[in-house]
Amino acid sequence: MQSCCQQFYTAGAASAMLLTYATYMRRHDGIVSMGTLTPIGNNLVSLCCGIMVFCNVFSVLESTGYDRQYIVGVLKDNGPANTGLTFIWMPLLYSSMSAGRFLAVLFFLSLSFAGLSSLIAMFELLALLLENVRMPRVLAAFVVGIVTFLLGIPSALNVNVLVNQDYVWAFALIPCGLMFVALVAKFGVERFRRVIVNEYGLDDWTLPRCWSFLIIVVTPLVGCALIVWWIVENFDADNDEYPDWKEMSAESFAMVLVQWAGGLIICVGINIMYYQCRCDKRRTSSLHDNDDVNPTENPSDVELSYSQVPGEKRTAPPDESTPLITKDRQDRESETET
């Protein structure tokens, strides 16, 4: 389960990072190609790093006389929040190599850059949300930075807080991924595949029909199986890996449910308040628009004045029956002909 959650996190799936990056993509950016090559490359690198670390742990401990059962236990208990493999065994590996200090500096420098790039992606995710509620970008970035710094102080002071947050929100990626699948299913899987992906992208791979089967059948089954598996492991009294599910400890099932419920209530409350504000603003705007309309004015004149700006050519209202993708394609084709 932890390895599955780690793959979800490192690939950016189900955490809205890729969804945020997608808002900046152009039609020539290959959605299908990047969506295929990015997780493959990420998983291959993770697999190579895992093999390297396991070989390092076995070689070091076997040379000191420990048996394999003990070594497997060391790998399973690798420090709080999985910090042991990186900050204990990697330095031991480099200490046994020639020019090990130089390689260790390069490794941890690369690790710092990887963490910084992930942090930038998370900042952009939250800053874009604040921009959507009409907050200036500079102010949004400043607010996100301050809030993130304040929320990170407890984890820096106490590693148990980091353990708790890593455990709680790592498993939350699985139901979040199922929510994204539900959104695609509500929109229409075949419609999404055909209109949003294949018709929109230029010079990109074609998304095959088997993708629809993966989204409708395979992904929900795998996600539900992982959730059921995790619940059964937490309720298994003979499993020493997890504490009693009723305890309010850092890695307990009850703690996960409480924090998930709290996060859901906060998110739903923010969305309700935002929706109410938007509705009130629209009502106020419609009232002002009705006050500005001249009752004696011909309705056809009002319709003809649509999108008329001084100095620009008058344009007709868009046909609502025409798909947005088709409109965008027509606009770009007209620009190309010009």
Side-chain angles (χ1 to χ4, degrees):
M1 280 297 300
Q2 292 181 356
S3 62
C4 292
C5 295
Q6 177 68 18
Q7 291 302 314
F8 279 128
Y9 174 77
T10 56
S15 60
M17 281 191 202
L18 297 182
L19 183 64
T20 304
Y21 281 157
T23 60
Y24 297 99
M25 294 184 69
R26 299 163 296 181
R27 300 185 67 185
H28 291 280
D29 298 329
I31 299 175
V32 182
S33 58
M34 284 200 290
T36 304
L37 297 177
T38 299
I40 291 176
N42 174 79
N43 292 340
L44 286 177
V45 171
S46 300
L47 181 62
C48 293
C49 292
I51 293 174
M52 179 188 67
V53 172
F54 287 176
C55 294
N56 174 36
V57 175
F58 272 92
S59 63
V60 171
L61 293 181
E62 280 192 340
S63 62
T64 56
Y66 292 100
D67 59 358
R68 294 189 176 182
Q69 185 176 1
Y70 175 80
I71 298 174
V72 171
V74 171
L75 288 172
K76 293 175 66 175
D77 186 16
N78 54 18
N82 299 320
T83 56
L85 294 179
T86 302
F87 297 103
I88 295 177
W89 295 105
M90 294 305 295
L92 287 175
L93 172 64
Y94 289 119
S95 65
S96 61
M97 301 169 56
S98 58
R101 289 189 176 182
F102 176 73
L103 295 176
V105 170
L106 288 181
F107 171 78
F108 285 106
L109 186 62
S110 301
L111 186 65
S112 301
F113 285 143
L116 182 62
S117 62
S118 299
L119 188 63
I120 291 174
M122 296 177 186
F123 271 39
E124 180 60 29
L125 191 157
L126 299 174
L128 186 62
L129 289 176
L130 295 179
E131 282 188 82
N132 290 336
V133 296
R134 304 296 188 271
M135 181 178 290
R137 181 172 180 82
V138 176
L139 180 60
F142 179 77
V143 170
V144 171
I146 294 298
V147 172
T148 304
F149 175 78
L150 295 177
L151 293 177
I153 290 177
S155 298
L157 297 178
N158 189 349
V159 72
N160 290 325
V161 178
L162 178 62
V163 171
N164 172 256
Q165 295 302 295
D166 177 71
Y167 181 81
V168 170
W169 300 112
F171 289 108
L173 293 177
I174 297 177
C176 286
L178 293 177
M179 291 180 185
F180 278 106
V181 173
L183 289 175
V184 176
K186 182 176 177 58
F187 182 82
V189 178
E190 275 299 313
R191 181 185 171 200
F192 186 91
R193 182 187 68 86
R194 187 182 68 256
V195 178
I196 302 298
V197 180
N198 288 340
E199 292 185 7
Y200 182 78
L202 298 177
D203 302 327
D204 191 18
W205 300 351
T206 300
L207 193 63
R209 290 184 179 273
C210 63
W211 179 84
S212 300
F213 176 76
L214 294 176
I215 294 298
I216 296 175
V217 179
V218 177
T219 303
L221 287 178
V222 172
C224 293
L226 289 175
I227 293 176
V228 172
W229 181 18
W230 174 59
I231 293 175
V232 170
E233 284 188 336
N234 276 274
F235 279 82
D236 187 4
D238 298 331
N239 192 349
D240 297 333
E241 184 178 354
Y242 297 97
D244 187 7
W245 70 273
K246 299 185 294 295
E247 295 180 1
M248 294 298 293
S249 58
E251 297 178 287
S252 66
F253 185 74
M255 178 64 74
V256 172
L257 293 182
V258 169
Q259 295 197 31
W260 284 7
L264 183 62
I265 291 172
I266 292 174
C267 292
V268 171
I270 292 175
N271 278 274
I272 291 175
M273 289 189 295
Y274 176 70
Y275 179 76
Q276 291 294 334
C277 292
R278 289 291 299 272
C279 291
D280 294 340
K281 191 174 181 179
R282 287 179 179 176
R283 293 193 194 98
T284 305
S285 177
S286 62
L287 291 175
H288 288 302
D289 293 339
N290 293 332
D291 293 339
D292 295 336
V293 173
N294 187 356
T296 62
E297 190 175 8
N298 190 353
S300 61
D301 296 337
V302 177
E303 184 177 357
L304 289 175
S305 63
Y306 178 87
S307 297
Q308 185 178 7
V309 180
E312 292 188 4
K313 185 178 179 180
R314 177 179 298 175
T315 58
D319 185 6
E320 295 182 357
S321 63
T322 305
L324 294 178
I325 302 300
T326 306
K327 293 179 190 176
D328 186 67
R329 188 183 294 275
Q330 291 174 353
D331 294 340
R332 290 185 178 272
E333 288 177 356
S334 61
E335 292 176 2
T336 305
E337 293 176 359
T338 305

